[in-house]
Amino acid sequence: MTYDFKLSCTLPASPEAVYDAWLDSAEHSAMTGAGAKINNRVGGAYSAWDGYITGKTVELIPAKRIVQSWRTTQFGDNHPDSTIIVELAPAKTGARLTLTHSGVPDGQTSYEKGGWQDNYFTPMKAYFARAKTKGRPAGETLRTV
């Protein structure tokens, strides 16, 4: 059996900046504090949190929606991949990120009860806030050339 849940947060950046950072290996690593390797195309594989999370990108709508298959090293061989949907919308103070995580194996509630908040939302807020204090507008990505 599996279960689904939905979480959301507001980030001090534009939907475009959040979308770009999520799909960029260096920025994803910087905003979460752990290594990520991301092929930013539909069908492309990715890993995050130093290989703890793996999956493939299923759908991309620039600055609006990212759909990825998702599993951790805690999933058993008998567990199919779960799915995350990251929806982005403009908000008064930046971007509203709504995360729907479906197909999570029963008993693995840590993702909903602090995992996403502690390992993604909180570090992402700090990452984009630092960009603002360094004189970058919230909508400008942090890529270096």
Side-chain angles (χ1 to χ4, degrees), residues 96-109:
R96 184 79 175 157
L97 184 155
T98 301
L99 175 98
T100 304
H101 196 160
S102 60
V104 179
D106 278 342
Q108 296 193 21
T109 59

Side-chain angles (χ1 to χ4, degrees), residues 68-123:
Q68 294 177 313
S69 67
W70 193 94
R71 69 182 299 114
T72 71
T73 57
Q74 292 183 0
F75 281 38
D77 292 340
N78 60 327
H79 295 131
D81 290 356
S82 63
T83 300
I84 62 167
I85 300 171
V86 177
E87 295 176 294
L88 301 164
K92 188 175 174 182
T93 58
R96 184 79 175 157
L97 184 155
T98 301
L99 175 98
T100 304
H101 196 160
S102 60
V104 179
D106 278 342
Q108 296 193 21
T109 59
S110 65
Y111 312 121
E112 178 183 16
K113 296 179 179 176
W116 280 104
Q117 297 89 332
D118 295 343
N119 298 300
Y120 271 84
F121 299 169
T122 298

Side-chain angles (χ1 to χ4, degrees), residues 127-137 140 142:
Y127 175 76
F128 289 112
R130 282 191 308 271
K132 287 178 88 168
T133 63
K134 291 182 180 179
R136 293 183 188 97
E140 183 179 317
L142 304 178

